[in-house]
Amino acid sequence: MSDKTGRQSIGCEVTSCRYNSHGSECDLHSIMIRPCQNCCSGKAEDETLCGSYEAK
């Protein structure tokens, strides 16, 4: 992963995630995007899941 610290922000509205802050921001410095397991549908909802998610 390239180092772009301080050059981007992560917006997130997943309030069940422990890294969610104030309902619209992510406290992580970077995230990993992963597809669903065993999935090759080409659909955004299947192919762009946040792999950094952790429940509160």
Side-chain angles (χ1 to χ4, degrees), residues 34-54:
R34 296 188 179 109
C36 291
Q37 199 169 19
N38 301 318
C39 178
C40 297
S41 71
K43 295 178 182 177
E45 62 270 15
D46 295 335
E47 302 282 350
T48 58
L49 299 176
C50 179
S52 304
Y53 173 86
E54 290 186 25

Side-chain angles (χ1 to χ4, degrees), residues 1-22:
M1 223 185 256
S2 65
D3 183 18
K4 293 185 179 182
T5 304
R7 297 177 187 250
Q8 57 187 313
S9 63
I10 303 168
C12 180
E13 295 179 356
V14 181
T15 57
S16 64
C17 183
R18 71 180 293 191
Y19 301 111
N20 181 273
S21 174
H22 309 293

